[in-house]
């Protein structure tokens, strides 16, 4: 009897609620469970084998660096099939743009929008930093086509005082395999300068849901099975410096995803401690 | 009513032209010396008149009676000694006198009082005026003490004199307590001011006038203070709310002794309720590592306007190696000494979010945190898998006060968080939206994916359970402080909407605020709401299976035992009607609550001495008078409209009504002066007469032709 009822409920749920399934008897995808448990980095599987290999190797390289240098110890990177996988267990999604990519389904866009609204972050990478802006065909058209159905707030080039420049390392540029290109994030609110002190009711803690650039970061981060870089970056010593900076950007980005504007607050801590002191003397 | 009416067949100008033509013809005939000129003219005029259709119109009309509105005020202030009899007598007498005036109707209006709004005489009067035909209203007589509370609703003028007969005696006086300013909220431990004064009204006896009143002031019925305050002097009374929730300040003075006594002692006391609130709460959030749930805490605490958040995350633990020079890094040292030794008492809550013992905090710091809790602080541990490892916080000196001990087993796999029986009662978890219950598995909550197995300490309350019914959320009290522990770090999955998600912000908010002792989230609470009809709803929230009876003590050695009935898990309620105004103390076990029950109609007794001030402008506008009933019930006269309608005569005062002579027309007849054939006869006769006069020679000598 009970079984029958459950069955009926499950049947009804699957009929009534298309999209992200709420049926709770289903076993969640173990890869995604791992993503939730280990903060594993995830990338969008594009179908372009070369790009997917680079994404996987890149995120593995970044995970390695994070584990070596920071308290964050991500597990193995996870490839995400946008049309099938539930995104609510992910924190970070790397989305390389390729020409051959087909647009995800409407249900996938609904999941993506929910992911962005509930605090997830997508790094869009057009991987065309070497040719972008020269007037030739670049990735921006493909990016626009793919990102059009997403609820993306107004964007602006990342300003020099953005918290992304100081979440872990102090950075001036966000290089990948290419450098010197603009990287975009959610435009700061118009009154951002005026709000001194703790922002009020900022439910997403001011984290931009998307970061967009064309510096081919995964290629700069990528390592092979032996731990050696898979792609060349720049030339000789200069290039290695650029790769290091790419890793630092990766670390900062992950810290931004996980701690939000924590490093912005840090500025206020001395002031808050000072305020505590004053309260004491007044009493 | 009878009159001449015309119903012209042709337009008036044509008729006028016709008449003019008839006159012209007559004049021409006269000039020609025709003897029938007059008759010719008359015939023409008669024709014009016939065409204008003259008719006799008569109507039947009825004279209408005059209406007098007699309004009596029966509000609570009119029930003061003597006034009610005075009102009865006046109304009876006036009714008799008005009935004696012929052709006059009386409309009776009685005004009561509204509990909160007082006497709404203006509204009642406006309504009564609107309900009567304006042309028939001959007068309005109010029998009242003049203490109405809806001045803006009082009509500015009226079509007839508005008289007011005031109740009360000339020697009436009253001393009252006026609260000029009272705060609704106050920070706990910081004094707030209540501004008050004593006011004398009316004909105050010499033995009382100017003499100070002895004020008695107590907070929650304790520690009575006394001080003398002369009338008319404002006093700023400092009051310090001692606890969160309602602080009831009762202020009163004894009725001064004099003859005659003051009108009422009901306005000699007041109860001011001040909600004690805490200053901004200071929360220290220590995250052991950046993880997916960290921003959940930040979102919660930063969106709370009442919280000052100080957040530290261990971005790099001491065992990590990084060759990057320090000046290229944005890391600062964790100011442990300052936070955990020097400033720890400044915090209300310390949250350890996935914090593992990493050798950053010295054992003495943990000792200090323990002491902080025992002295009344709070800690909240949100533990990930590190809880089951050798770096568990439970293995630090802090472990002694944590509410659960890990077994070392990490339980991986999806599970649905559920409320325990205790959780159904506990204010932190009871009523969380979408909670799945025991018998119904299909709640709205999404699942979590891992937790640590633990053994709760004996006194702790397990309010949520997870996989295999292992404790998930455990609450406990340590010394004067509180500790809470979540054995899973995946509450953020609710925020992300995994499988529909759950109320993660609400749950975390309640846990944090419970640990900071917010009164609304106390497990054992006694609440009492005084409703408008002065009944009291007593609600007892408890973790026990039974509660009550509540012992109630009040003024004049009042004592009562109130049994409670169960209204839901951990909720027991009862309705109670206090016997009279005053402060009542409700006690169940260790919990005490003081409530102030005011008089039934507080506004009615703010002022009690009858006053003509509020109704005088309307009386002036309408030529009416304001007289005191203590001088006797005035006689009633009639005067013409626009004449002064009150005065003093030989037999005493009089007031007047203005008969309006209104009437209605009930029918009308329209009768032509002459029927059509009579007109024809008349015109023809006149014309014939003229012709005969001219032709046949009546009254003239025959012409020679005729004689031949």
């Amino acid at each position: 009897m009970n079984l029958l009822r459950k069955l009926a409920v499950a049947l009804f749920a699957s009929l009534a609620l298309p999209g992200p399934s709420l049926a709770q008897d289903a076993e969640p995808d173990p890869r995604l469970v791992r993503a939730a448990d280990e903060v594993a980095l995830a990338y969008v599987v594009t179908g372009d084998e070369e790009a997917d290999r680079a994404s996987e190797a890149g995120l593995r390289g970044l995970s390695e660096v994070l584990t070596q240098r920071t308290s964050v110890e991500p597990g193995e990177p996870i490839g995400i099939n946008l049309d099938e996988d539930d995104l609510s267990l992910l924190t970070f999604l790397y989305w390389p743009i390729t020409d051959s990519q087909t647009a995800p389904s409407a249900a996938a866009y609904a999941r993506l929008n929910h992911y962005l609204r509930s605090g997830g972050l997508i790094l869009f990478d057009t991987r065309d930093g070497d040719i972008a802006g020269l007037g030739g065909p670049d990735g921006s058209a493909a990016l626009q086509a793919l990102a059009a159905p997403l609820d993306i707030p107004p964007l602006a080039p990342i300003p020099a005082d953005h918290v992304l420049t100081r979440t872990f390392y102090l950075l001036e540029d966000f290089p990948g395999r290419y450098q010197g290109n603009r990287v975009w994030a959610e435009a700061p609110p118009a009154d951002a300068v005026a709000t001194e002190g703790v922002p009020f009711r900022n439910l997403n803690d001011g984290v931009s849901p998307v970061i967009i650039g064309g510096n081919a970061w995964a290629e700069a981060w990528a390592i092979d099975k032996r731990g050696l870089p898979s792609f060349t970056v720049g030339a000789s010593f200069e290039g290695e410096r650029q790769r290091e900076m790419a890793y630092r950007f990766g670390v900062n980005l992950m810290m931004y995803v996980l701690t939000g504007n924590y490093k912005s607050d840090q500025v206020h801590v001395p002031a808050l401690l000072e305020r505590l002191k004053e309260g004491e003397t007044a009493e | 009513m009878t009159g001449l009416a015309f119903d012209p067949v042709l337009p008036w100008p044509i008729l006028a032209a016709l008449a003019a033509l008839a006159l012209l013809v007559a004049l021409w005939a006269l000039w020609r010396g025709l003897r029938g000129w007059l008759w010719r003219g008359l015939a023409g005029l008669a024709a014009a008149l016939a065409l204008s259709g003259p008719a006799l119109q008569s109507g039947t009309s009825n004279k209408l009676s005059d209406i007098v509105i007699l309004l009596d005020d029966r509000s609570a202030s009119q029930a003061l000694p003597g006034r009610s009899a005075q009102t009865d007598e006046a109304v009876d007498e006036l009714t008799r006198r008005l009935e004696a005036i012929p052709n006059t109707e009386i409309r009776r209006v009685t005004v009561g009082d509204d509990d909160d709004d007082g006497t709404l005489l203006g509204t009642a009067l406006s309504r009564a005026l609107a309900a009567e035909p304006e042309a028939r209203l001959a007068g309005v007589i109010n029998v009242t003490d003049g203490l109405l509370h809806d001045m803006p609703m009082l009509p500015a003028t009226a079509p007839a004199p508005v008289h007011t007969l005031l109740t009360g005696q000339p020697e009436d006086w009253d001393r009252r307590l006026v609260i000029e300013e009272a705060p609704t909220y106050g920070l706990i431990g910081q004094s707030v001011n209540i501004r008050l004064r004593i006011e004398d009204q009316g004909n105050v006896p010499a033995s009382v006038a100017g003499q100070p009143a002895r004020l008695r002031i107590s907070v929650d019925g304790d520690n009575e203070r006394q001080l003398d305050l002369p009338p008319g002097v404002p006093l700023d009374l400092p009051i310090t709310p001692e606890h969160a929730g309602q602080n009831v300040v009762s202020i009163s003075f004894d009725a001064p002794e004099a003859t005659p006594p003051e009108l009422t002692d009901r306005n000699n006391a007041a109860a001011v309720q001040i909600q004690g609130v805490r200053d901004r709460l200071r929360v220290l959030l220590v995250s052991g590592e950046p993880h997916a749930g960290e921003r959940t805490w930040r979102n919660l605490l930063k969106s709370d306007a009442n919280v000052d958040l100080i957040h530290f995350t261990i971005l790099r633990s001491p065992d990590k190696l990084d060759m990057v020079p320090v000046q290229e890094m944005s890391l600062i040292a964790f100011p442990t000494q300052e936070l955990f030794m020097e400033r720890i008492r400044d915090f209300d809550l310390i949250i350890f979010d996935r914090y593992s013992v990493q050798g950053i905090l010295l054992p003495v710091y943990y000792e200090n945190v323990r002491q902080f809790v025992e002295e009344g602080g709070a800690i909240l541990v949100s533990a990930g898998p590190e809880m089951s490892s050798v770096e568990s916080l439970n293995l630090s000196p802090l472990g002694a006060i944590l509410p659960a001990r890990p077994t070392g087993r990490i339980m991986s796999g999806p599970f649905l968080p559920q409320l325990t029986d205790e959780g159904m009662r506990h204010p932190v978890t009871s009523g969380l939206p979408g909670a799945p219950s025991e018998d119904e598995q299909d709640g709205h909550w999404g699942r979590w994916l891992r937790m640590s197995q633990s053994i709760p300490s004996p006194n702790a309350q397990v309010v949520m359970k997870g996989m295999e019914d292992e404790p998930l959320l455990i609450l406990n009290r340590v010394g004067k402080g509180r500790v809470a522990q979540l054995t899973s770090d995946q509450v953020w999955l609710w925020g992300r909407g995994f499988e529909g998600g759950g109320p993660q912000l609400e749950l975390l908010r309640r846990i944090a605020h419970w640990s900071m002792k917010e009164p609304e989230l106390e497990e054992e609470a006694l609440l009492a709401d005084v409703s408008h009809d002065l009944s009291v709803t007593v609600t007892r929230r408890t973790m026990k299976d039974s509660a009550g009876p509540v012992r109630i003590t009040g003024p004049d050695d009042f004592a009562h035992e109130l049994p409670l009935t169960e209204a839901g898990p951990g909720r027991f309620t009862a309705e109670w009607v206090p016997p009279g105004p005053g402060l009542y103390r409700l006690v169940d076990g260790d919990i005490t609550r003081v409530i102030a029950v005011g008089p039934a109609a507080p506004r009615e007794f703010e002022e009690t001495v009858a006053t003509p001030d509020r109704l005088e402008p309307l009386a002036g506008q309408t030529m009416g008078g304001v007289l005191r009933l203590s001088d006797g019930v005035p006689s009633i006269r009639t005067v013409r409209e626009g004449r002064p309608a009150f005065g003093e005569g030989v037999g005493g005062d009089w007031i007047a009504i203005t008969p309006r002579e209104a009437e209605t027309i009930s029918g009308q007849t329209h009768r032509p002066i002459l029927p059509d054939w009579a007109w024809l006869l008349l015109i023809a006769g006149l014309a014939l007469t003229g012709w005969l006069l001219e032709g046949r020679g009546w009254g003239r000598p025959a012409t020679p032709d005729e004689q031949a």
Side-chain angles (χ1 to χ4, degrees):
Chain A
M1 186 63 210
N2 199 12
L3 190 74
L4 205 68
R5 213 184 72 185
K6 268 191 193 171
L7 207 69
V9 167
L11 193 70
F12 180 75
S14 62
L15 283 175
L17 302 158
S21 170
L22 295 183
Q24 301 203 328
D25 294 332
E27 203 58 33
D29 188 332
R31 292 177 310 132
L32 298 174
V33 171
R34 199 164 56 74
D37 286 350
E38 299 175 351
V39 202
L41 311 186
Y43 62 92
V44 172
V45 176
T46 59
D48 180 330
E49 258 183 54
E50 204 182 320
D52 293 344
R53 260 204 311 277
S55 299
E56 205 272 346
L59 294 188
R60 191 145 37 77
L62 179 58
S63 299
E64 200 98 318
V65 168
L66 283 165
T67 307
Q68 273 170 25
R69 303 185 185 181
T70 76
S71 300
V72 185
E73 301 181 1
E76 281 287 297
I78 298 168
I80 293 293
N81 183 340
L82 288 177
D83 286 330
E84 286 168 16
D85 294 330
D86 184 4
L87 304 175
S88 56
L89 297 176
L90 306 177
T91 27
F92 172 76
L93 188 58
Y94 176 70
W95 190 340
I97 303 299
T98 60
D99 296 334
S100 57
Q101 233 171 121
T102 48
S105 66
Y109 274 118
R111 282 197 294 270
L112 279 165
N113 280 329
H114 184 264
Y115 169 74
L116 293 176
R117 267 200 304 276
S118 62
L121 184 141
I122 300 177
L123 172 64
F124 285 101
D125 190 349
T126 52
R127 307 179 305 132
D128 56 359
D130 48 345
I131 52 165
L134 298 178
D138 57 20
S140 57
L143 171 67
Q144 271 172 21
L146 283 172
L150 294 176
D151 295 340
I152 294 179
L155 300 175
I158 296 179
D161 63 344
H162 195 275
V163 68
L164 202 47
T165 61
R166 56 176 192 281
T167 49
F168 195 91
Y169 295 107
L170 295 171
L171 294 180
E172 284 168 3
D173 188 20
F174 312 110
R177 199 173 175 197
Y178 314 115
Q179 62 179 351
N181 300 302
R182 273 186 179 169
V183 180
W184 300 69
E186 179 175 359
D191 56 348
V193 187
T195 37
E196 199 54 46
V198 186
F200 178 60
R201 266 206 87 75
N202 199 341
L203 286 180
N204 207 14
D205 196 22
V207 176
S208 171
V210 290
I211 305 285
I212 299 176
N215 284 345
W217 288 288
E219 291 170 22
W221 298 332
I223 53 169
D224 61 17
K225 292 273 184 269
R226 293 165 297 163
L228 297 173
S230 310
F231 296 87
T232 53
V233 171
S236 68
F237 182 75
E238 284 281 304
E240 285 315 300
R241 174 78 185 162
Q242 187 179 332
R243 190 192 303 279
E244 165 65 18
M245 285 303 164
Y247 278 130
R248 289 188 192 177
F249 165 68
V251 169
N252 269 22
L253 182 63
M254 280 314 293
M255 291 301 169
Y256 179 58
V257 171
L258 294 173
T259 64
N261 274 327
Y262 163 62
K263 274 292 171 186
S264 282
D265 277 10
Q266 210 66 341
V267 177
H268 302 297
V269 170
L272 285 174
L273 290 176
E274 201 54 48
R275 208 196 298 176
L276 296 182
K277 265 182 204 154
E278 280 168 18
E280 201 166 76
T281 48
E283 277 160 16
Chain B
M1 189 192 81
T2 309
L4 196 61
F6 290 91
D7 185 12
V9 181
L10 294 171
W12 282 113
I14 297 180
L15 290 177
L18 217 58
L21 194 67
L23 285 174
L24 275 176
V25 168
L27 285 176
W28 178 75
L30 180 65
W31 176 63
R32 286 288 307 268
L34 292 177
R35 274 177 295 163
W37 66 273
L38 183 65
W39 302 104
R40 284 168 191 272
L42 281 176
L45 284 176
L49 191 62
L51 287 175
S52 71
L56 265 185
Q57 195 168 320
S58 61
T60 41
S61 64
N62 297 329
K63 199 162 175 357
L64 289 176
S65 57
D66 292 319
I67 293 174
V68 176
I69 296 175
L70 178 54
L71 180 148
D72 57 326
D73 175 4
R74 300 286 177 175
S75 61
S77 59
Q78 277 279 82
L80 288 171
R83 288 192 186 174
S84 153
Q86 217 176 2
T87 311
D88 287 344
E89 190 200 327
V91 168
D92 289 349
E93 189 61 39
L94 287 169
T95 309
R96 205 162 38 245
R97 290 182 189 174
L98 284 168
E99 277 169 351
I101 301 174
N103 211 22
T104 302
E105 280 180 60
I106 303 171
R107 294 277 192 275
R108 287 288 305 274
V109 178
T110 300
V111 183
D113 60 66
D114 196 280
D115 274 345
D116 290 325
D117 296 335
T119 309
L120 302 181
L121 190 142
T123 313
L125 190 57
S126 293
R127 273 203 202 130
L129 286 176
E132 303 304 339
E134 206 179 307
R136 293 176 62 189
L137 193 74
V140 178
I141 304 172
N142 301 317
V143 181
T144 174
D145 53 12
L147 298 169
L148 64 148
H149 299 105
D150 59 341
M151 284 297 287
M153 290 304 291
L154 201 64
T157 185
V162 179
H163 303 288
T164 297
L165 305 183
L166 290 176
T167 57
Q169 301 298 328
E171 63 270 22
D172 280 349
W173 69 281
D174 191 38
R175 170 167 282 192
R176 65 173 184 141
L177 175 68
V178 183
I179 305 288
E180 292 184 342
E181 241 177 63
T184 320
Y185 289 89
L187 291 179
I188 295 169
Q190 293 193 17
S191 103
V192 290
N193 280 340
I194 298 176
R195 173 171 295 178
L196 53 89
R197 69 186 147 87
I198 302 291
E199 190 179 281
D200 283 342
Q201 288 184 318
N203 189 5
V204 184
S207 62
V208 176
Q211 295 300 311
R214 169 142 300 190
L215 283 177
R216 299 171 190 279
I217 298 140
S218 69
V219 180
D220 286 343
D222 294 328
N223 307 328
E224 186 175 283
R225 279 188 282 166
Q226 297 194 353
L227 61 96
D228 289 341
L229 182 67
V233 180
L235 169 74
D236 279 326
L237 182 68
I239 296 290
T240 308
E242 296 292 344
H243 59 86
Q246 290 291 2
N247 292 262
V248 180
V249 183
S250 89
I251 306 162
S252 64
F253 64 87
D254 299 333
E257 286 182 15
T259 14
E262 64 168 341
L263 277 174
T264 181
D265 59 3
R266 289 208 210 182
N267 53 18
N268 293 6
V272 177
Q273 307 207 357
I274 301 174
Q275 186 90 24
V277 292
R278 307 179 61 168
D279 199 355
R280 285 171 72 86
L281 301 166
R282 287 145 178 174
V283 177
L284 174 62
L285 172 61
V286 185
S287 298
E289 61 185 270
H291 69 103
E294 185 175 328
R295 269 167 58 202
T296 302
W297 284 110
R298 289 181 56 79
N299 287 345
L300 169 75
L301 296 166
K302 298 199 75 172
S303 64
D304 195 332
N306 229 5
V307 167
D308 271 341
L309 173 67
I310 294 194
H311 184 190
F312 281 94
T313 305
I314 312 297
L315 293 178
R316 187 176 69 168
S317 49
D319 55 335
K320 302 288 175 169
L321 210 66
D322 196 344
M323 297 306 172
V324 176
V326 170
Q327 65 268 24
E328 291 177 28
M329 309 201 58
S330 164
L331 304 185
I332 60 161
F334 188 13
T336 50
Q337 172 76 16
E338 187 172 19
L339 291 172
F340 291 99
M341 295 301 287
E342 294 161 16
R343 312 237 66 91
I344 190 165
R345 301 287 182 282
D346 293 330
F347 294 107
D348 296 291
L349 171 66
I350 300 176
I351 302 175
F352 288 102
D353 169 36
R354 287 199 64 171
Y355 191 82
S356 53
V357 178
Q358 309 174 20
I360 295 174
L361 298 187
L362 302 174
V364 62
Y365 295 166
Y366 292 114
E367 282 291 346
N368 207 25
V369 172
R370 203 180 76 181
Q371 210 182 336
F372 156 75
V373 174
E374 281 165 354
E375 288 171 6
I379 57 172
L380 196 167
V381 178
S382 167
E386 80 286 342
M387 179 184 172
S388 300
S389 72
V390 290
E391 291 189 330
S392 171
L393 263 186
N394 288 72
L395 301 177
S396 75
L398 207 52
I401 60 164
L402 291 184
R405 192 159 48 80
T407 61
R409 181 181 159 206
I410 298 172
M411 307 171 82
S412 293
F415 65 89
L416 185 64
Q418 284 182 317
L419 302 187
T420 60
D421 288 344
E422 277 191 308
M424 305 262 194
R425 296 166 175 276
H426 203 288
V428 166
T429 44
S430 75
L432 275 179
S437 54
E438 277 291 296
D439 46 325
E440 224 170 317
Q441 290 290 319
D442 46 7
H444 305 133
W445 288 357
R447 290 179 295 179
W448 298 2
L449 299 170
R450 80 173 160 201
M451 61 181 285
S452 297
Q453 192 184 39
S454 64
I455 301 164
S457 36
N459 299 326
Q461 293 165 330
V462 179
V463 295
M464 285 175 81
K465 59 188 178 181
M467 195 186 298
E468 295 168 19
D469 290 346
E470 291 293 337
L472 184 60
L473 173 59
I474 310 123
L475 308 172
N476 201 4
R477 289 151 193 266
V478 176
K480 292 182 196 159
R482 300 184 179 189
V483 287
Q485 186 157 20
L486 262 171
T487 59
S488 171
D489 61 337
Q490 291 198 320
V491 68
W492 64 274
L493 289 180
W494 275 1
R496 280 296 174 78
F498 175 61
E499 293 182 346
Q504 115 274 10
L505 281 181
E506 177 64 12
L507 175 65
L508 296 181
R509 188 194 71 79
R510 288 201 205 170
I511 300 172
H513 283 260
W514 169 82
S515 61
M516 294 186 284
K517 301 174 190 165
E518 185 178 300
E520 279 174 25
L521 292 170
E522 288 302 289
E523 301 97 311
E524 303 292 326
L526 185 58
L527 310 169
D529 284 320
V530 184
S531 65
H532 287 304
D533 56 354
L534 296 191
S535 69
V536 179
T537 309
V538 180
T539 307
R540 174 81 165 86
R541 202 165 58 213
T542 179
M543 295 299 287
K544 299 192 209 88
D545 292 328
S546 63
V550 175
R551 263 189 314 111
I552 303 174
T553 50
D556 305 328
D557 297 327
F558 174 82
H560 180 63
E561 295 244 317
L562 181 70
L564 300 173
T565 51
E566 186 161 6
R571 281 172 60 85
F572 297 85
T573 59
E575 289 279 326
W576 172 63
V577 180
L583 280 192
Y584 292 87
R585 181 184 293 266
L586 282 62
V587 182
D588 182 15
D590 302 335
I591 311 178
T592 303
R593 192 167 164 82
V594 175
I595 55 168
V597 179
R603 275 196 86 164
E604 285 294 316
F605 296 101
E606 278 174 12
E607 290 175 80
T608 49
V609 178
T611 169
D613 300 347
R614 300 181 197 178
L615 286 160
E616 228 153 31
L618 178 59
Q621 275 289 323
T622 58
M623 306 278 221
V626 180
L627 305 173
R628 290 188 178 274
L629 280 174
S630 51
D631 300 335
V633 181
S635 57
I636 297 179
R637 299 182 180 179
T638 57
V639 297
R640 271 190 294 123
E641 283 177 55
R643 309 286 302 185
F646 70 103
E648 207 171 325
V650 186
D653 293 332
W654 56 268
I655 54 174
I657 60 172
T658 55
R660 300 296 295 270
E661 309 280 344
E663 50 183 20
T664 75
I665 294 166
S666 59
Q668 203 174 44
T669 55
H670 187 87
R671 203 152 31 82
I673 291 176
L674 288 175
D676 293 346
W677 56 266
W679 281 113
L680 197 65
L681 217 61
L682 178 69
I683 297 163
L686 285 170
L688 196 67
T689 311
W691 178 69
L692 282 177
L693 274 180
E694 284 166 20
R696 292 292 169 209
W698 283 319
R700 70 166 171 96
T703 57
D705 302 358
E706 284 165 347
Q707 285 168 345

